[in-house]
Amino acid sequence: MKHLILAGAATAVFALSAGVASAADAPKCGLANGQAATGTPINIGSIVSKTGPDDFSASAQAAKAYFDCVNANGGINGRPVNYIIGDDQWSPEIAAQLAAKLVDDEKVVAMVGNSSFVECAANANSYAEKGVIAIAGVGVPRECFTAWTYAPLNAGPRLSTLAVAEHINKTSGAKKFVCIAPNIPNVGAWACDGVTVWANENGAESSTILIDPGSSDATSVVLQAASMSPDAIILSLPKGVMLPVLVAAEEQGLNETIKFGSAASGYSLDVPGALGEAWNGKFVVNMEFQPLDAETPDNMNWRAVMDAHAGKDVPRDTFAQAGYLSARLATEAMLKLDPAKIERDSVATALSEVKTFESDILCAPWYYGAELSRHNANNTLRNAITDNGSWKTVSECAAVNDPELTDIRAFEATLR
Amino acid sequence: MSILLAFVVSGLGIGAVYALSGVGLVVLYRATGVINFAFGALGALGAFVAWNLIELGHANALAWLAAILVAATGSYAYGRLIAPRLAFRDPVVRSVGTLGFALVLLGFIGWYWGEVPRRLNLPTDKTFFTIFGARLNMTRIIALTLALAMVAAISLLLARTRVGLYLRSLADDRDLSAILGIRVVRLEAFAWGISGVFAGICGLLLANLVRLQGMQLTFLVVPAIAAAILGQLRSLPATAIAGIAIGVTEACLTAVPAIAPYRTAAPFVIALVAVATMRASLLTMDRR
């Protein structure tokens, strides 16, 4: 009998602790009331580059996970979100067709969680004309950061590239930089120009090498960079192209003599392991968001949402963080509206009024900035360094000193 | 000047692998009349298998052997099962068939291994010599040596052995060879196997020297085809020299700022120029 009681008590304690654990892991989203939304659906669209040279769809898949969670928790004051995702297949024509379908036929109230290499140039103007605000997940080319109604959650390659250069300058006194980027218009040169302009204004210098991302000869690129005798080499390359450049640099022994840094495109949990011992403590990357494995409340909630509503095959990467944030932001903005009056105009107004969207995944609160003709609110960033097969955060959040941010900084001053 | 010499050194290693790939293509073309577009994909498949085995803790040597075996088996299987069914079609159809094979392999690699940054290390990466300010590691030296050794070995095989004699007769006239009692299908499959061995070795070297990525390795067949065309799809030494020259040219173009961002196009341009200027001689060679 005594054993039985003990066993029973143990079971109860176990069940209780399991309950506590699962409660801690349960995602919080929307109204968080546990009731499925049954009202008239609200159409929200998203365009991502899925099939093609790389898969950027994690952003929309994470946003979908969040909206699914919202729909299971009271929806937008009773109305579920009908989230429609399109794959532009890295084609501007398809991106434009998808936008027309979503905006004109599906009558979406907003675009949320977009992540595309080609969409901004193709669609930013038509979104502005039709009064659609796009709260994008990840924007890469310049056009994603110079549009009236397109506002990405990430910082973009230009700020990210400069942030890591600034960090290396601050910590090691490096003054002479070489920036290596892909020869893609409005991506590579634009990103490296940020370092050059900043360097010129701060007693440093920077040269740019543009490369074909399909090039098979990384060694020559590295030799060319080394021939300029830089203190630091900054990479603004997709990670698949970045890795061979670092391997070639290691082969030439440059990891011992030159500092290496990368824009956030190099921040992926499998990079330190793939690089190996020779790069331990020698490669700094910028991060546009909180480290993926950070145990802060909103980052934990992001992972809980993913675990509950996204398949195991959906990457838990920075794209997914961005998609989650964009969906959370849109949900919180729409929850302030009368559910009967959730239309494109009212949603655009609600989104444009977002002034302090807070999350520990971001360094600083995000704002839309209706008065601005372009959007780049995520401009305060952290850096991490390779540390025994993983990343170790090495800097506090720091504002990026890109002279191109003058308009943004002036606007931010009015917010305070 | 010294930086240009450094580029020459850096181009030598990759050029050597282009040379090896080109020779692998020519061996097959001479025996079967097929340009194997799947050459790069077969090498990629082998390299991924090797990477996987090393990750699982198997010995390096076993992984390399497996890579070569996988590429050779894949190539042999195609040569034995699919290629004979296309034997009497146009040369273009027979070559495009291998493009289909390449896409199937590429699709499989993408589906099974995905796009994760990976690195295939070889023990020879760590030993190096410094020449003109550039480090030339042992892997590159091995690639160069292998290119020369394989050209010599295949030339000997063709000139001195019975199989070589059969292969040459097949290259001269397939139908006549069959009438003379040469087992054409079996011999062609043998050529596919040899070409697969080349693909496996090249795949391993390129995965190390370039990058372990399916798409990249698959399309590295282009510079190899350029080398083969420069060798008129016939001469092994000329193909080998052309391969090395393409690698070195591509590397040296880094020194020309206006062209540097587009230098990846060098092998395509060279191949195009070669096709345009050598068209006449290629046509006269078309024996089928």
Side-chain angles (χ1 to χ4, degrees), chain A residues 99-376:
Chain A
K101 180 173 164 266
L102 291 168
V103 173
D104 299 332
D105 303 345
E106 302 287 353
K107 313 275 185 226
V108 296
V109 298
M111 300 293 289
V112 173
N114 302 30
S115 286
S116 160
F117 217 94
V118 296
E119 202 229 352
C120 298
N123 295 340
N125 285 343
S126 68
Y127 290 150
E129 280 165 20
K130 303 269 170 67
V132 175
I133 286 187
I135 303 295
V138 174
V140 180
R142 186 166 195 264
E143 294 92 346
C144 297
F145 298 91
T146 53
W148 279 97
T149 62
Y150 200 96
L153 259 299
N154 73 323
R158 178 168 169 123
L159 298 191
S160 184
T161 304
L162 176 53
V164 78
E166 281 193 69
H167 172 80
I168 292 175
N169 166 265
K170 206 192 274 177
T171 52
S172 73
K175 292 231 176 272
K176 202 170 172 190
F177 294 88
V178 169
C179 179
I180 305 178
N183 61 344
I184 302 172
N186 278 330
V187 177
W190 173 60
C192 282
D193 280 354
V195 183
T196 308
V197 176
W198 163 84
N200 291 344
E201 290 189 1
N202 289 277
E205 59 178 298
S206 179
S207 315
T208 299
I209 298 177
L210 296 181
I211 64 168
D212 180 339
S215 171
S216 51
D217 177 21
T219 305
S220 298
V221 173
V222 162
L223 288 173
Q224 187 190 9
S227 73
M228 300 171 178
S229 337
D231 302 323
I233 294 178
I234 307 295
L235 309 176
S236 190
L237 299 165
K239 64 185 174 186
V241 183
M242 177 200 76
L243 199 69
V245 171
L246 292 173
V247 170
E250 179 189 331
E251 188 186 330
Q252 297 300 321
L254 302 181
N255 55 331
E256 303 293 340
T257 53
I258 298 175
K259 305 276 175 203
F260 279 81
S262 165
S265 49
Y267 177 69
S268 157
L269 293 184
D270 32 48
V271 164
L275 279 175
E277 269 299 296
W279 287 95
N280 197 15
K282 293 196 172 112
F283 182 50
V284 186
V285 291
N286 179 254
M287 296 184 291
E288 292 176 303
F289 300 108
Q290 183 72 268
L292 292 163
D293 45 8
E295 299 201 339
T296 53
D298 203 31
N299 202 50
M300 299 270 280
N301 192 47
W302 158 61
R303 290 157 66 111
V305 167
M306 297 296 285
D307 289 345
H309 296 279
K312 283 204 169 65
D313 56 326
V314 180
R316 270 62 168 167
D317 61 6
T318 51
F319 283 86
Q321 281 176 314
Y324 162 83
L325 286 176
S326 62
R328 219 198 90 197
L329 184 152
T331 300
E332 288 173 16
M334 288 190 295
L335 278 173
K336 291 180 184 151
L337 299 172
D338 175 350
K341 291 181 184 159
I342 296 183
E343 289 145 5
R344 187 175 295 168
D345 287 351
S346 60
V347 172
T349 307
L351 290 173
S352 67
E353 284 170 356
V354 172
K355 287 202 170 64
T356 47
F357 171 70
E358 299 208 12
S359 164
D360 52 61
I361 297 175
L362 295 162
C363 270
W366 193 92
Y367 60 86
Y368 178 78
E371 296 83 347
L372 286 164
S373 61
R374 69 187 200 94
H375 310 276
N376 207 345

Side-chain angles (χ1 to χ4, degrees), chain B residues 227-247:
Chain B
I229 289 174
L230 285 170
Q232 305 210 348
L233 290 168
R234 178 167 287 269
S235 163
L236 297 179
T239 301
I241 292 166
I244 293 173
I246 289 172

Side-chain angles (χ1 to χ4, degrees), chain A residues 53-54 183 210-217 219-221 223-224 227 239-241 243-244 247 250-253 268 270-271 274-276 278-279, chain B residues 3 6-7 10-11 14 18 115-119 125-126 128 133-135 137 140 208-211 213 216 220 250-251 254 260-264:
Chain A
D54 207 344
N183 61 344
L210 296 181
I211 64 168
D212 180 339
S215 171
S216 51
D217 177 21
T219 305
S220 298
V221 173
L223 288 173
Q224 187 190 9
S227 73
K239 64 185 174 186
V241 183
L243 199 69
V247 170
E250 179 189 331
E251 188 186 330
Q252 297 300 321
S268 157
D270 32 48
V271 164
L275 279 175
W279 287 95
Chain B
I3 182 72
F7 291 143
S10 107
I14 290 190
Y18 290 167
E115 281 290 326
V116 176
R118 295 190 179 88
R119 184 173 174 179
D125 296 344
K126 300 283 174 211
F128 59 87
R135 287 185 184 180
N137 72 14
R140 287 170 198 268
N208 173 266
L209 296 175
V210 178
R211 70 183 86 147
Q213 192 198 33
Q216 184 79 19
L220 277 178
E250 197 182 330
T254 315
Y262 311 100
R263 68 196 168 92
T264 320

Side-chain angles (χ1 to χ4, degrees), chain B residues 37-48:
Chain B
F37 288 106
F39 190 87
L42 283 163
L45 181 68
F48 272 96

Side-chain angles (χ1 to χ4, degrees), chain A residues 29-101:
Chain A
C29 29
L31 296 171
N33 61 11
Q35 288 169 8
T38 52
T40 318
I42 302 166
N43 282 0
I44 291 181
S46 180
I47 295 177
V48 290
S49 299
K50 180 172 170 63
T51 39
D54 207 344
D55 182 355
F56 284 7
S57 68
S59 168
Q61 294 190 70
K64 184 177 185 322
Y66 188 80
F67 286 134
D68 285 350
C69 182
V70 167
N71 291 348
N73 281 284
I76 308 297
N77 292 317
R79 293 179 64 181
V81 171
N82 177 29
Y83 188 54
I84 312 163
I85 306 171
D87 170 16
D88 65 26
Q89 302 169 35
W90 290 72
S91 152
E93 289 80 19
I94 298 177
Q97 287 164 10
L98 285 170
K101 180 173 164 266

